[in-house]
Amino acid sequence: VGILLAQFGIRLTLRAARNAQDAGGTRPESRDKSPPWLGMRVRGEQGRLRVTHVIDGGPAQDAGILAEDDLLALGGMRLDAAQYDAAIERLDVGKPLEVHLFRRDELLCLTLNPAESPRDTCFLGFDEQATDIAVGRRRQWLGGGW
């Protein structure tokens, strides 16, 4: 995709998501530090923190966490939806930690190994070093003001 966009003077930049709500579209900043990645998505639901998605091949899947599990604690610290992002930022990549959760009515303790966040969030911007031909294509595609 990046090669195709480059023909129009557009640069595709991949970066790690800043948090679970980061849908991309914002310029990466040099001070951006991506949080550790657990490989799952969660949401607050009726006072609980419920796993909604487990990413294939991610740390949560490796630990045995499933969608619909209710997270209770990470590394011995109680979790809720308001604290989740801050709790993740305090974790160390590669340092295993215990995760307590309920699966239906069963209390489980699993070991989760946070990983480095994947570079899966993108930002599109104009390539300042694009050739005149590429800029001409971009203007034809997007209109004269671009």
Side-chain angles (χ1 to χ4, degrees), residues 117-131:
S117 295
R119 300 174 70 78
D120 60 0
T121 306
C122 72
F123 169 75
L124 297 177
F126 295 131
D127 185 350
E128 299 299 324
Q129 298 173 350
T131 66

Side-chain angles (χ1 to χ4, degrees), residues 10-102:
I10 297 174
R11 177 172 292 182
L12 170 72
T13 304
L14 290 174
R15 62 174 176 77
R18 293 178 183 118
N19 55 43
Q21 292 74 38
D22 186 356
T26 56
R27 182 180 305 278
E29 297 178 19
S30 60
R31 70 176 186 270
D32 278 353
K33 179 184 178 284
S34 59
W37 182 60
L38 303 185
M40 64 181 162
R41 295 192 188 267
V42 299
R43 78 166 172 256
E45 187 176 282
Q46 298 174 355
R48 298 179 296 214
L49 190 61
R50 177 148 295 175
V51 177
T52 59
H53 299 83
V54 175
I55 310 302
D56 193 31
Q61 184 182 53
D62 292 345
I65 296 171
L66 301 175
E68 302 302 317
D69 285 347
D70 291 324
L71 296 179
L72 304 173
L74 271 179
M77 300 301 293
R78 185 179 194 168
L79 276 179
D80 67 23
Q83 302 167 330
Y84 183 74
D85 285 338
I88 301 305
E89 288 178 11
R90 289 191 298 268
L91 300 178
D92 294 320
V93 169
K95 184 177 178 185
L97 68 147
E98 289 185 338
V99 178
H100 290 84
L101 57 87
F102 272 119

